[in-house]
Amino acid sequence: NSKVIQTPRYLVKGQGQKAKMRCIPEKGHPVVFWYQQNKNNEFKFLINFQNQEVLQQIDMTEKRFSAECPSNSPCSLEIQSSEAGDSALYLCASRTGDSDYTFGSGTRLLVI
Amino acid sequence: GDSVTQTEGPVTVSESESLIINCTYSATSIAYPNLFWYVRYPGEGLQLLLKVITAGQKGSSRGFEATYNKETTSFHLQKASVQESDSAVYYCALGVWANTGKLTFGHGTILRVHP
């Protein structure tokens, strides 16, 4: 019963294919985060937004990852050319400046 | 960078037994980190179990407790008497509450409670 809605729940892509996942943050939450949780249960922060602006992001040196949070549309995380190592659970979370985080159930990406 | 280390699981206990899941942290980028325990029940999303903003304080929720110990850089999760419904994955995390920054998570501890 998460108030952060992530779609799709599962995503299967071939190597080199584009993978896109979406997140609708909890209503009234202007700050949105994306995390990657790998098979070893390690969390990796990817990026966060306040409204439509990027606050922090990892050094996506490969430039395969991109994200946006347009106004009046779901936030999205896209991998341009999927690799096997991208297989993971991608978590979206949202909050206000002084509220608890609300996490979505995640999108589980499998790259085959 | 910041890091969180917690008990490697799985941890298996019997119902009504006591529980402690250890968590220690290193906060190199944050002068006064805030500490959190999150839980993921089977088939559900990650949810906050408890948080403590101030060193020396104790947080509690659903019978679980954790005390923020700045001297030992620890935030161990304890429960006096577990129930089968406590079976879940528990994550210790640190961050800064009062801004929009990220959380740093531990690897999680699987807890299995047998009836």
Side-chain angles (χ1 to χ4, degrees):
Chain A
N1 294 330
S2 176
K3 296 175 185 175
V4 172
I5 309 299
Q6 289 190 248
T7 56
R9 192 72 183 265
Y10 299 95
L11 193 54
V12 181
K13 295 291 178 181
Q15 294 196 52
Q17 288 188 320
K18 189 183 297 186
K20 187 169 185 174
M21 55 202 83
R22 292 175 176 81
C23 169
I24 300 174
E26 181 171 341
K27 191 172 182 180
H29 283 192
V31 187
V32 177
F33 299 77
W34 285 100
Y35 291 89
Q36 178 196 64
Q37 187 180 20
N38 65 22
K39 62 181 180 181
N40 296 321
N41 269 340
E42 296 165 333
F43 282 81
K44 180 179 181 181
F45 166 79
L46 297 177
I47 192 168
N48 62 346
F49 294 83
Q50 181 155 11
N51 297 313
Q52 294 79 52
E53 301 298 319
V54 175
L55 292 175
Q56 296 172 285
Q57 62 181 328
I58 63 166
D59 182 16
M60 298 181 183
T61 54
E62 295 181 64
K63 304 299 183 188
R64 295 186 300 109
F65 286 71
S66 63
E68 61 176 5
C69 268
S71 61
N72 301 316
S73 292
C75 298
S76 64
L77 176 68
E78 188 171 76
I79 306 172
Q80 289 299 319
S81 178
S82 302
E83 298 177 357
D86 298 331
S87 297
L89 179 67
Y90 290 84
L91 291 168
C92 178
S94 71
R95 65 176 298 203
T96 66
D98 59 0
S99 73
D100 290 333
Y101 290 77
T102 302
F103 280 86
S105 297
T107 293
R108 189 167 294 280
L109 172 65
L110 175 62
V111 182
I112 55 176
Chain B
D2 305 326
S3 65
V4 175
T5 304
Q6 58 183 103
T7 301
E8 284 219 25
V11 172
T12 303
V13 296
S14 297
E15 211 165 25
S16 78
E17 285 188 343
S18 64
L19 169 73
I20 181 165
I21 298 176
N22 292 328
C23 171
T24 57
Y25 66 89
S26 171
T28 57
S29 70
I30 306 171
Y32 302 102
N34 309 142
L35 301 175
F36 308 83
W37 277 102
Y38 281 84
V39 59
R40 180 182 284 143
Y41 297 103
E44 297 185 18
L46 201 62
Q47 54 186 278
L48 180 67
L49 177 61
L50 57 86
K51 68 176 185 283
V52 178
I53 307 299
T54 307
Q57 300 288 317
K58 180 168 71 176
S60 60
S61 174
R62 307 179 209 176
F64 289 90
E65 294 181 339
T67 300
Y68 184 162
N69 189 320
K70 191 173 62 172
E71 285 69 37
T72 59
T73 63
S74 66
F75 191 54
H76 307 320
L77 184 67
Q78 301 182 74
K79 189 170 187 181
S81 177
V82 296
Q83 301 171 330
E84 194 177 357
S85 57
D86 293 326
S87 297
V89 185
Y90 292 82
Y91 296 91
C92 186
L94 70 84
V96 178
W97 186 244
N99 72 17
T100 53
K102 65 183 176 74
L103 294 174
T104 299
F105 287 89
H107 286 195
T109 301
I110 297 172
L111 172 65
R112 296 185 181 135
V113 181
H114 292 305

